[in-house]
Every structure is written in structure tokens, then in C-alpha cells.
Amino acid sequence: MDRQHVVDLGEFGDAFRRDPHPVYERLREQGPVHRVRLPGADENYETWLIVGYEEARAALADPRLAKDGSKIGAAFLDEEMIGKNLLATDPPQHTRLRGLVTRAFTMRRVELLRPRIQQITDDLLDEMMPRGHADLIDALAFPLPITVICELLGVPDMDRAEFRKLSTEVVAPTNGNTEYEAIIRLGEYLTELIEDKRSAGPTDDLLSDLIRTTAEDGDRLSPQELRGMAFLLLIAGHETTVNLIGNGVLALLTHPDQLAALRADMSLLGGAVEEMLRYDGPVQSATFRYAAEPLEIAGTAIEQGEHVVVGLTAAQRDGDRYGDPHRFDIRRDTRGHLAFGHGIHYCLGAPLARLEGRTAIGSLLERAPGLALDGSPGEWLPGLLMRGMRSLPVRW
């Protein structure tokens, strides 16, 4: 790809925010790697965007593309104010952190949550159903995962509306000032929370386990690492699932044949959720990677120190990987989709997100036989990180 040719994604305006797929399709026709300017970014800031499936999958597992920005002199607000987490570290630091977290965040722990996730879902639907209409994001897609992750981590019943505002500003900032304020406030909150848990004595929540977790060699998470991990688990643990439920239900309601097929055979639910993840997954692009050394991707030279963005949403619609990629098909073979990433940074919370998505969508369809859109979806989130709506009006 010609280094001089820069695609300004901001020039596509709100149409790109609502539906980026036509733009990604045109880019893929020209090649799998492009020099771009991100929406809302400084006009002098450019990065590389990968839009092809094979190239994206390879990049996600390429050790030459570092996640730790300090290796090339880059620093980000959340790392400075909150601390390093799994998304901002490379081996051996990443290996150590993931090993310590995996000791506490086990598959067994997720499976034990199944009855509680069903109960929370049922309670939310009990409240929602008599009304006959609702904003699905406010009524179900947001409160379910935030309640689950807060209970899992042992976070008290904070002001959920305030937390939602802060969290959304971190992953889809309105501007630099609001992002800065949100990160500062979340950092302060998490510092107090961790100190409270240290002094309160042992409890059975995940954050307390992380405080106590010790490896065979006596290694433990430092206070800063604990804060970074809590930040990642709290935000990534609910923002992505909000979008999985919202985007997934929207896909069903705009494809009545697929909705009818699923209603006729609910054993298709697991595959349907995987197709939702492929078709319009909750994360539009993976977080930044940095060229730790010069490399080539599909014949494009990437210089040491340059930033690379792996387009997950773009890669999932690559026709070379998935036939008829713009068709939503709940019976499709979705194996290899990249909604949860790939390689050593594969999403630690994928089993929990899948469980919540299946529970929420399956229960909703059982309880609301006449489910339909009740107007247009609300504003889509800004930025290139998350893919989701602020509201989704439905009726039944």
C-alpha cells in the first residue's frame, strides 16, 4: 500500500459510525492493509489499519507487534493513571499477569455463575415485560452484565448510571477532556475499593482472590497491577457484553427469516450467538499494537515504532474467509471468527460473555414472542474501538 495515500475515515461522517461495512468492503477490494486517519484523531496522526481476515489473524498473534506502548515511547492515559493491564503488556510480563489472573478467574467460577445470571435476567425481564416496550440497552443489555461483573468482582452497588457514563467515556470518548476525567475518577474509585478489600479480610469475590493469589514462586500482583486488572475486568467485562446483546438482537430483528428459524429451533441459539459475534461483533478494532521492529504485512512495509490497528469488524466480513459475508446466517460455520481476538491476548472473559449472551437473548425470545423494533436504533458509539448503540427501542 502506498504510504503517501492516507484514507481519512473521519470524512465518511456519521454514515461510517452507523455502518462501517461498505467502507471496509471498498478498502478490502484495494488491499488488506491501509494507511488511515482515525475519526476524531489529530490531523497529523496516522496509523495502519488491517482489514483482511488472514492478515488480521496473523497480526493478532505476531510477537513483532507489541502491546506495551512504552517500548516505542508511547504512553496512554489509562496506563499512566490506572496501571498496566493484560491489553498493554507483552511476554514475559503478560505471561506472568495472565497466569496470576487465570488462577482466580477459572472456567469453574464462570459455570457457577450460570444460575445467578439466569436469575438476574429473569428479574430484569419481569420488570420489563408488563410495559410492552422498552429501550433494550437500558432494560436488559446494560444492567445484566454490569450486575454480573460487579457481583463477580465484589464491587458494591455503586451508582450504576454514573459508572456507565464513566465507562463509556473510557471506551468511546466524546473528547479528550471527558476521557481524562473519567479515567481519573475510575482510578480513584478502584484504589479505594482495593484498599477497602485489603482491610476487610477474606471474602469469596474475584477481586479479593486476586489480592490473595500467589504463584508457586511467591509472586503476587502489585497494588498498581491490581488496579489495572480491576479496571480491565470491570470495563471489558460489561461493555462488550452490552454490545453483544444489543447488536445481536438488532441483527435478529432486521432478519425476520433468521429470527423465525431460531424461534422454531432454540437449539440453534449457540450458533446464532457466534454468528452475531461475527456479523457485528461488540469490538470494532483491537487496541493498538506497535511495530517493535520493521516488518511487512501483505507486502506493506511497517516501520519500527508505527502504530497498527487490527480491524476485527472488517476482518469478519472478508469474503475470502466467509462466503456471502454480509448475510446474517445463524446456521453458518463461524469457526475462526475474531470477535474475541486471537493468540495470547484472546479474551479472558469470552466464556462469561457467551454465557450472558445466550442467557439474555434466549430468555428474551421465550418471554417476548412478538418482539420487534419500536423505532430506529439510537446513536452508535464514536471511535473505532467499540461497536454498539446507545439505545435500541423494542416492543412486544
Side-chain angles (χ1 to χ4, degrees), residues 27-304:
L27 290 178
R28 272 195 308 273
E29 288 170 357
Q30 298 163 33
V33 185
H34 295 268
R35 191 82 171 157
V36 301
R37 190 171 297 120
L38 303 179
D42 183 281
E43 63 179 22
N44 296 316
Y45 177 77
E46 298 169 4
T47 187
W48 292 103
L49 174 66
I50 300 176
V51 295
Y53 175 87
E54 291 298 339
E55 294 77 13
R57 185 178 173 87
L60 289 170
D62 192 330
R64 298 171 299 175
L65 292 173
K67 297 289 287 178
D68 185 348
S70 63
K71 290 184 176 177
I72 62 161
F76 290 89
L77 273 176
D78 53 350
E79 293 175 35
E80 292 175 358
M81 306 294 179
I82 296 197
K84 292 279 190 187
N85 59 57
L86 291 173
L87 288 180
T89 51
D90 301 305
Q93 186 182 15
H94 175 273
T95 311
R96 172 184 159 265
L97 288 176
R98 186 152 180 139
L100 285 166
V101 175
T102 303
R103 283 172 168 271
F105 192 24
T106 60
M107 280 293 294
R108 180 174 179 273
R109 187 170 216 138
V110 171
E111 189 54 37
L112 288 172
L113 287 170
R114 184 183 293 273
R116 179 61 182 141
I117 290 171
Q118 186 65 62
Q119 181 188 355
I120 296 166
T121 302
D122 290 342
D123 290 347
L124 290 168
L125 291 174
D126 285 345
E127 187 179 338
M128 180 177 128
M129 282 295 119
R131 302 202 301 265
H133 62 89
D135 170 8
L136 193 73
I137 306 299
D138 272 346
L140 180 65
F142 170 73
L144 170 63
I146 192 63
T147 302
V148 171
I149 201 65
C150 284
E151 290 186 1
L152 176 64
L153 285 171
V155 175
D157 281 338
M158 63 171 93
D159 182 339
R160 299 281 164 86
E162 177 66 9
F163 178 75
R164 181 184 181 187
K165 193 170 125 189
L166 293 176
S167 175
T168 305
E169 275 302 328
V170 171
V171 298
T174 309
N175 60 60
N177 289 334
T178 53
E179 179 185 23
Y180 179 82
E181 290 166 10
I183 288 172
I184 291 289
R185 290 176 66 182
L186 279 172
E188 290 170 348
Y189 175 80
L190 292 172
T191 298
E192 288 179 19
L193 178 64
I194 290 166
E195 286 310 309
D196 287 348
K197 287 195 173 292
R198 280 190 194 282
S199 57
T203 52
D204 62 356
D205 59 81
L206 178 58
L207 195 49
S208 295
D209 276 4
L210 288 173
I211 291 169
R212 294 193 302 268
T213 293
T214 307
E216 283 87 351
D217 60 1
D219 186 22
R220 304 180 76 159
L221 293 168
S222 71
Q224 188 187 43
E225 288 168 343
L226 270 170
R227 192 172 62 227
M229 202 58 64
F231 173 78
L232 177 63
L233 291 171
L234 198 53
I235 291 184
H238 88 274
E239 284 283 356
T240 49
T241 310
V242 175
N243 297 341
L244 164 57
I245 296 168
N247 297 1
V249 171
L250 178 64
L252 283 174
L253 296 182
T254 51
H255 296 82
D257 61 322
Q258 298 301 299
L259 175 58
L262 180 55
R263 284 193 179 284
D265 182 3
M266 289 299 284
S267 71
L268 296 172
L269 180 62
V273 168
E274 297 307 306
E275 173 67 345
M276 293 166 193
L277 287 162
R278 181 207 70 88
Y279 181 77
D280 230 348
V283 181
Q284 185 164 182
S285 303
T287 52
F288 283 112
R289 281 165 166 74
Y290 315 96
E293 60 185 78
L295 70 149
E296 273 197 8
I297 300 176
T300 298
I302 312 288
E303 295 179 2
Q304 184 173 358

Side-chain angles (χ1 to χ4, degrees), residues 360-395:
I361 294 168
S363 300
L364 175 66
L365 294 181
E366 286 172 9
R367 299 277 299 270
L371 190 68
L373 288 174
D374 193 29
S376 301
E379 180 189 33
W380 288 82
L381 297 173
L384 219 66
L385 178 59
M386 305 304 290
R387 175 87 183 129
M389 301 156 283
R390 295 196 190 276
S391 63
L392 181 61
V394 293
R395 56 182 166 79

